[in-house]
Amino acid sequence: MSTTITTVRGSAPALPEPQGPGRRPGAVLALARFEARELLLQIPVLVFIVLYLGFTTARLVFQDGMSDYPVLNTVDRGTQTAPLLLAIALLVCTNAAALRSRKHGTVQQFDVMAMEPWRRVLAHVLSAVPFVVLTAVVVAAEFTREALKPGAIGHGSVGELAVGPLVVLMAGITGVLLARLVPTPFAPILFVIGAYLLMVLATQVTESDDPRVGWLSPMVLSGISGGDPVPSDLLGRPAAWHALYLLGLCALLTCAALLRSGGRTRAVKAATALALAVTATGAIGQLPHDTAALEAARKSASTTPQKFQSCTEYEGSTYCAFPEWKGVRDDWAAVVDRLRSAAGGSAAEGRLTVRQRIDVSGGIEEDTALDPSTTPGEVTVGTRWGGNRVPEFAVGAATVLVAGTEDATTREMCDARAVTIMWLVLGSDPTPMATFRNVRLDDSTTGSGLVLAPTNGLSLTNHQTAVIRELLAQPKAEITALVKKHWSALTSAQTSTAEAAKLLGVAVPQGVESCEE
């Protein structure tokens, strides 16, 4: 018995022509996703992400009273330093990822794969993008939280906010480029040390002679943690141009890594030319142009701030502020009204002029002391508000109500006026002893000491401090009535501290008062 096997030959369906999977963008993106997951599993990256998120969260949670009135042109710059933690980790780990095949001796196996070396390099570069997005989200969340506070002052800059994410991106790209230029695991460490030294040097150059060189650094640290804020127009920071410069630099470094890996295609060459043009445009745009006008404006804002300010009247007093601080004038008025309600004589109805002042003679946002005003009835207020700045302003305003001018504190005030000033400040305060401690330079409530103010502080003797403590222990209504009754005597330089104690019905300190304390 024979079996007949019949083979049916039909036309088999044609196989699709190979499309070069290594040339499709999907393959590059797939490899980039894989490398991004690998980066996330690296201990340095994980640790520094946790540190970055923890540091940012702690900075937002543990704040003092001044944080209720954030100046947004300092908040945006404050977001730039923390991402450096993640940037360093990303630089090291992208470099290690790009060198993985060399470390394990599998470089030759890539020769049989369809994806060209420069496309694998592009995938390594793209693997840093999720961490850039994470940084951008954290920066946006941090700034938005501060900007939504009712006391937020001024406005921020998108260019300043972009620096942190762009520095993280640049670090990831640099790690990949170093792997192509110097294929050794020690290169990132040496690069980080050198980059840090150059950044510090660039910052010093920015603050001194030639700011044009300083702005070529990826991050300009000057002004990030300086003194009191100034109006945005006086900063002179070309934030938008600097962000464009960083963006072009990131693209240029990427193209350099691709060209070094053999990616000399027409598209890569065109992208290189475009990146070079963008980098040059940003670099030129951020160079200072009209520095003379900027310096003149800074000087004028320091010496004649009324040229830049608008004023509003509340209850007979005038409040003048730079445009970005207009919303804080109500808070200044509330303090002045509280002080006048506790004062007597003409001071209860006296007209004050509260003027915001800055001093940029020593540089932008440097710690400088404001000279007390010699204009009768004028009170100085700074550009920070909230926390201890409120009682410090109250000391300055009370000094003008009692002595007539701020510069009265430059002369010896070893008499009843110092006691009267401090009673106006503390008598209606909800937590007088805590405020008394906070407003003193030595954080004490005993002995002699200096009380802080926006300009010159008020020096208290041991006897004056003792009388103030006694007053705070008495019923507020009774002492307020006595202050108003004896206002003329209590605001006279001829009335001693002991006589003030008698007039207000508290114990007279023992011994002779020493004004040299």
Side-chain angles (χ1 to χ4, degrees):
M1 181 177 181
S2 60
T3 303
T4 303
I5 300 177
T6 304
T7 302
V8 180
R9 298 181 180 274
S11 58
L15 295 175
E17 184 178 345
Q19 298 180 13
R23 296 181 178 275
R24 293 180 301 183
V28 176
L29 294 178
L31 181 57
R33 287 194 296 268
F34 170 80
E35 293 295 347
R37 287 195 298 268
E38 288 296 308
L39 285 175
L40 187 59
L41 297 177
Q42 300 301 309
I43 292 179
V45 173
L46 273 176
V47 168
F48 280 101
I49 284 178
V50 172
L51 286 176
Y52 175 37
L53 295 177
F55 175 77
T56 304
T57 302
R59 188 166 58 181
L60 294 177
V61 172
F62 301 104
Q63 297 180 329
D64 57 17
M66 284 188 292
S67 298
D68 295 335
Y69 297 84
V71 181
L72 298 183
N73 69 29
T74 63
V75 173
D76 55 11
R77 284 173 284 154
T79 63
Q80 296 178 8
T81 52
L84 283 175
L85 299 173
L86 179 57
I88 294 173
L90 200 60
L91 187 150
V92 173
C93 291
T94 53
N95 181 267
L99 291 175
R100 188 190 307 121
S101 58
R102 180 180 294 271
K103 177 182 178 181
H104 296 291
T106 59
V107 177
Q108 294 77 9
Q109 297 180 16
F110 285 125
D111 294 337
V112 299
M113 297 183 66
M115 184 179 292
E116 302 97 317
W118 69 271
R119 293 184 187 274
R120 293 197 298 272
V121 168
L122 178 60
H124 281 295
V125 169
L126 294 177
S127 68
V129 171
F131 302 95
V132 178
V133 174
L134 171 64
T135 306
V137 170
V138 174
V139 166
E142 182 179 0
F143 180 80
T144 301
R145 185 182 187 278
E146 298 298 293
L148 292 179
K149 289 182 177 179
I153 298 169
H155 54 83
S157 166
V158 176
E160 298 284 8
L161 294 173
V163 170
L166 287 175
V167 167
V168 172
L169 176 60
M170 184 179 297
I173 297 170
T174 303
V176 178
L177 178 59
L178 285 176
R180 306 305 302 171
L181 297 177
V182 188
T184 171
F186 299 105
I189 299 175
L190 297 176
F191 180 84
V192 168
I193 295 174
Y196 173 76
L197 294 176
L198 287 175
M199 190 177 299
V200 172
L201 178 62
T203 300
Q204 292 176 347
V205 170
T206 301
E207 294 174 341
S208 56
D209 300 327
D210 195 351
R212 295 173 298 179
V213 177
W215 280 98
L216 295 178
S217 168
M219 183 179 295
V220 181
L221 298 177
S222 61
I224 289 181
S225 58
D228 291 336
V230 299
S232 300
D233 294 341
L234 302 180
L235 285 174
R237 289 178 64 91
W241 287 111
H242 187 64
L244 181 65
Y245 165 71
L246 292 183
L247 184 63
L249 202 55
C250 288
L252 191 60
L253 293 176
T254 300
C255 292
L258 298 181
L259 292 172
R260 182 67 178 82
S261 305
R264 295 179 177 82
T265 64
R266 184 177 301 175
V268 174
K269 291 179 180 179
T272 303
L274 179 62
L276 186 60
V278 171
T279 305
T281 302
I284 295 172
Q286 70 185 0
L287 298 181
H289 298 289
D290 196 357
T291 55
L294 180 61
E295 288 300 324
R298 290 173 176 176
K299 182 178 180 180
S300 182
S302 299
T303 57
T304 55
Q306 59 271 20
K307 295 181 179 179
F308 300 82
Q309 296 176 344
S310 61
C311 301
T312 304
E313 285 200 9
Y314 295 97
E315 301 295 332
S317 291
T318 304
Y319 301 86
C320 302
F322 292 103
E324 292 168 276
W325 278 264
K326 290 190 298 184
V328 195
R329 292 186 293 204
D330 291 344
D331 298 274
W332 302 342
V335 175
V336 171
D337 289 345
R338 176 170 64 86
L339 297 177
R340 290 200 306 183
S341 66
S346 60
E349 301 295 332
R351 295 177 59 89
L352 298 181
T353 298
V354 176
R355 185 171 302 283
Q356 193 172 43
R357 293 171 57 200
I358 60 174
D359 182 7
V360 294
S361 59
I364 287 294
E365 298 181 329
E366 297 293 334
D367 290 324
T368 55
L370 295 171
D371 294 327
S373 173
T374 58
T375 304
E378 184 170 276
V379 182
T380 296
V381 63
T383 53
R384 290 192 185 276
W385 187 251
N388 284 352
R389 295 299 181 266
V390 177
E392 289 173 15
F393 167 72
V395 171
T399 299
V400 175
L401 287 175
V402 171
T405 60
E406 284 184 339
D407 70 335
T409 56
T410 61
R411 300 178 291 275
E412 188 178 272
M413 199 177 286
C414 188
D415 50 64
R417 292 176 297 171
V419 173
T420 308
I421 291 171
M422 293 310 299
W423 170 254
L424 294 184
V425 174
L426 302 173
S428 57
D429 191 277
T431 57
M433 290 304 295
T435 301
F436 191 27
R437 179 180 297 104
N438 291 336
V439 83
R440 281 172 60 114
L441 183 61
D442 58 358
D443 295 328
S444 71
T445 58
T446 58
S448 60
L450 180 67
V451 176
L452 300 174
T455 57
N456 270 26
L458 177 65
S459 181
L460 296 180
T461 67
N462 183 38
H463 282 54
Q464 290 169 337
T465 300
V467 172
I468 293 167
R469 287 175 56 88
E470 289 289 332
L471 292 176
L472 295 178
Q474 306 301 316
K476 293 181 180 180
E478 294 180 11
I479 300 300
T480 299
L482 290 173
V483 168
K484 292 183 177 182
K485 179 180 178 181
H486 302 291
W487 182 257
S488 296
L490 292 172
T491 56
S492 171
Q494 308 305 317
T495 305
S496 67
T497 302
E499 291 172 337
K502 292 178 182 178
L503 291 173
L504 297 174
V506 296
V508 178
Q510 299 298 315
V512 179
E513 183 175 18
S514 173
C515 297
E516 302 299 327
E517 296 174 343

